[in-house]
Amino acid sequence: MSNTSSIPVLRGRGTAVLRSEQDGLVLERPSEKLTIPVRAIARVYAGERSVTVELRALVGATPAVHRIEDVSAAAAVAFTDAVNALLPQPVEEVDGPALVELRTFTRTWVETYRGKVGRVLLGCLGGTLVLAVITAIVGDEKTAIAGAAFMVPFGGMAVVGLWFGAVSIGPWWHETRLRRHGVTVVAAQAADGPWKYEYMDSTGTTRVFTHPSTVPSVQVSYDSQDPSDVLVLQDSSTRALDITLGPCFFLAGLAALAATIGLSVVTILGIPLS
């Protein structure tokens, strides 16, 4: 599709963008990118504040559509008029959806897991601070301040230990499951920027994720029921280190947590600390 420079770029709801390129249209959303070649496009039409791209379909099939909403009404009309004017006349039957390239941008399982663990442990740290304040207020006058002061570092050690334990044991367990029941493929460096890798799942969707590495390719495994659940496989030495040190950190964190709670109890009851 030539003369694309005069076709406006449509910016819609959220951060959705529909723009023209030399070989077709590109629809970008926060989590995905659709590349629609010109051969796959039947027509483009504008709504009140939306633009719909209708794909060519085989005889008897319902045409698939892709839509961007909350765009400028004037830009929508200009966009559809310009694109439709440049579309070639169809000379053969085409299955439009089969020509569309879908690339999704997803967080790896480890990123999602660490985010959940971090939120839980931040809550634990906040709970520790609240407990220290309560202990200082209602505890025995002779030991309240000292007990509350000791509770804060104990609580911090508990959070650190539980964090390192959880981020070691959790991924190890999940990787063990995926190695047995998941689908293992090679992910190659993507052109989207540094630390970006992409792989194609069993549905033909290209999925892009971030991994802190500069090697040309990495081995990944994903859940067959949820292809976006991807995990970069570790080498055997890293896995052995995780399962060796992970439980030690976790138990140390539990011990520090128990000490924090115990210190609060003895302080409130007025039991001497020494």
Side-chain angles (χ1 to χ4, degrees):
M1 190 161 54
S2 58
N3 299 324
T4 60
S5 59
S6 61
I7 302 177
V9 175
L10 300 180
R11 302 188 182 278
R13 181 177 300 166
T15 57
V17 175
L18 178 63
R19 68 178 188 275
S20 63
E21 290 191 345
Q22 191 67 28
D23 298 323
L25 301 177
V26 175
L27 176 58
E28 292 183 285
R29 298 188 180 97
S31 61
E32 65 181 16
K33 176 181 178 181
L34 280 165
T35 302
I36 309 172
V38 65
R39 289 182 58 239
I41 303 172
R43 67 187 180 113
V44 181
Y45 54 92
E48 184 176 350
R49 288 195 60 195
S50 67
V51 168
T52 301
V53 181
E54 182 180 308
L55 304 183
R56 297 174 64 182
L58 300 176
V59 175
T62 302
V65 298
H66 297 287
R67 182 177 294 107
I68 183 172
E69 299 179 330
D70 289 347
V71 299
S72 163
V77 173
F79 183 91
T80 55
D81 289 346
V83 172
N84 285 327
L86 295 175
L87 291 179
Q89 292 297 319
V91 295
E92 60 181 341
E93 190 177 355
V94 172
D95 182 9
L99 301 178
V100 175
E101 179 188 351
L102 171 62
R103 304 178 78 232
T104 65
F105 302 89
T106 184
R107 301 179 71 190
T108 63
W109 185 91
V110 168
E111 289 177 309
T112 303
Y113 174 77
R114 286 179 176 175
K116 292 178 180 178
V117 171
R119 288 190 291 273
V120 171
L121 292 182
L122 281 176
C124 291
L125 184 59
T128 299
L129 295 176
V130 170
L131 185 60
V133 171
I134 293 174
T135 301
I137 295 174
V138 305
D140 183 79
E141 293 182 358
K142 296 180 179 179
T143 59
I145 301 300
F150 277 111
M151 286 175 62
V152 175
F154 273 120
M157 287 188 291
V159 168
V160 171
L162 292 174
W163 165 261
F164 281 109
V167 299
S168 297
I169 298 173
W172 179 91
W173 176 86
H174 191 64
E175 181 173 335
T176 300
R177 187 183 68 83
L178 285 181
R179 283 179 180 270
R180 293 177 180 174
H181 307 293
V183 179
T184 300
V185 296
V186 173
Q189 277 186 330
D192 299 78
W195 293 3
K196 296 286 188 180
Y197 289 84
E198 62 182 17
Y199 67 100
M200 182 176 291
D201 65 27
S202 55
T203 66
T205 300
T206 300
R207 299 186 180 273
V208 182
F209 63 92
T210 302
H211 178 63
S213 176
T214 57
V215 297
S217 62
V218 292
Q219 197 173 52
V220 302
S221 189
Y222 63 86
D223 191 328
S224 59
Q225 302 300 315
D226 180 12
S228 65
D229 176 13
V230 63
L231 184 75
V232 179
L233 300 182
Q234 298 177 317
D235 56 66
S236 56
S237 60
T238 303
R239 280 174 54 79
L241 191 64
D242 281 347
I243 197 57
T244 300
L245 296 181
C248 297
F249 279 115
F250 197 78
L251 291 175
L254 288 178
L257 182 61
T260 303
I261 297 173
L263 188 58
S264 175
V265 172
V266 299
T267 302
I268 291 175
L269 293 178
I271 301 174
L273 297 178
S274 58

